């Protein structure tokens, strides 16, 4: 039977293996840090209590779950976490209809706020700002602005796993919206895909337990196989992410 309530993803990231799935569920707070395997999850609400499994994510704020009929649904991880509480269904009985109305009303208010902001942005601009903008428009483009216009196009990254080489540039941490602790990451420089040959320049990856076993240091160069995707590192100008590096080997200088 098809579920009519689902919000199916146009595209999403699947987990490479159970380790990545475990790590992501721990980041979301759906599993404890000591968990060694995933568990059964349930989707509740509107009289439903259906088993589901987490199969991937659209982004860090949107998990993708699959039901027994293989139908996919996008859900906020915190919302899914709330559904695992034993008394969750009891909280949604008498007030379910009111809650739905409130959500609709809130959505309408948000839409009105967006429209108002858009109208202000278009019409309520001070004359001084308009004058400055007109002066800028009348000036010929400078060499600096031309350089910005000639910015390098976005790389066409392979969809499959590729062999890469990179040098460790920095170890740092970034905020995690689902945890009190920050995520450890590695930033790489001199990043290139070996086959097909493509210079990436800079990229980043999670500082996973597997990477920690290599005892990497700044300046170490290594080769590995991975998937690389366009995903900017929070608070850092690094546009590409290395997912699940495997077959990692340090390159010894000759």
């Amino acid at each position: 039977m098809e579920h009519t309530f689902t919000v199916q993803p146009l595209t999403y990231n699947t987990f490479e293996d159970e380790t990545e799935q475990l790590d992501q569920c721990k980041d979301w707070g759906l599993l404890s840090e000591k968990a060694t395997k995933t568990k059964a999850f349930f989707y509740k609400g509107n009289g439903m209590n259906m088993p589901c499994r987490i199969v991937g994510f659209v982004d860090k704020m949107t998990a993708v779950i699959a039901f027994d009929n293989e139908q996919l649904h996008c859900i906020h991880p915190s919302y899914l976490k709330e559904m695992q509480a034993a008394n969750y269904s009891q909280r949604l009985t008498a007030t379910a209809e009111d809650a739905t109305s409130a959500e609709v009303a809130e959505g309408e208010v948000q839409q009105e706020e967006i429209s108002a902001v858009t109208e202000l942005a278009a019409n309520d601009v001070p004359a001084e700002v308009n004058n400055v903008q007109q002066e800028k428009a009348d000036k010929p483009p400078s060499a600096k602005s031309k350089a910005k216009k000639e910015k390098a196009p976005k790389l066409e990254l392979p969809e499959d796993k590729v062999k890469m080489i990179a040098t460790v540039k920095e170890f740092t941490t970034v905020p995690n919206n689902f945890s009190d602790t920050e995520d450890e990451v590695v930033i790489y420089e001199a990043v290139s895909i070996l086959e097909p040959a493509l210079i990436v320049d800079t990229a980043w990856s999670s500082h996973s337990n597997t990477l920690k076993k290599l005892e990497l240091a700044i300046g170490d160069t290594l080769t590995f196989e991975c998937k690389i995707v366009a995903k900017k590192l929070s608070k850092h100008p690094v546009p590409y992410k290395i997912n699940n590096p495997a077959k990692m080997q340090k390159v010894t200088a000759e």
Side-chain angles (χ1 to χ4, degrees), residues 4-78:
T4 58
F5 64 87
T6 58
V7 179
Q8 300 192 37
L10 296 176
T11 181
Y12 70 102
N13 302 294
T14 57
F15 298 118
E16 287 295 315
D17 49 36
E18 187 176 1
T19 300
E20 184 186 11
Q21 183 186 41
L22 281 171
D23 290 343
Q24 187 60 69
C25 287
K26 289 177 183 178
D27 287 345
W28 284 333
L30 293 168
L31 294 174
S32 70
E33 288 298 324
K34 296 181 179 179
T36 57
K37 62 181 180 179
T38 189
K39 66 177 184 179
F41 293 95
F42 292 89
Y43 182 91
K44 302 176 183 178
N46 298 323
M48 296 180 293
N49 187 358
M50 299 185 297
C52 63
R53 63 188 189 279
I54 302 173
V55 296
F57 58 93
V58 176
D59 51 44
K60 291 295 183 182
M61 304 293 288
T62 311
V64 177
I65 58 176
F67 298 104
D68 288 344
N69 65 351
E70 300 302 325
Q71 195 169 350
L72 301 178
H73 178 54
C74 295
I75 187 170
H76 195 289
S78 298

Side-chain angles (χ1 to χ4, degrees), residues 171-183:
F171 298 96
T172 187
T173 59
V174 293
N176 185 328
N177 296 326
F178 304 99
S179 174
D180 294 333
T181 59
E182 294 193 328
D183 291 337

Side-chain angles (χ1 to χ4, degrees), residues 138-153:
D138 293 339
K139 289 182 180 180
S142 63
K144 187 174 181 180
S145 63
K146 287 182 180 179
K148 288 183 178 179
K149 291 181 180 180
E150 295 173 1
K151 185 178 178 181

Side-chain angles (χ1 to χ4, degrees), residues 83-103:
M83 290 182 176
Q84 307 317 302
N87 63 343
Y88 179 81
S89 297
Q90 298 173 5
R91 288 183 274 157
L92 298 180
T93 51
T95 59
E97 184 174 346
D98 292 339
T100 302
S101 300
E103 289 175 0

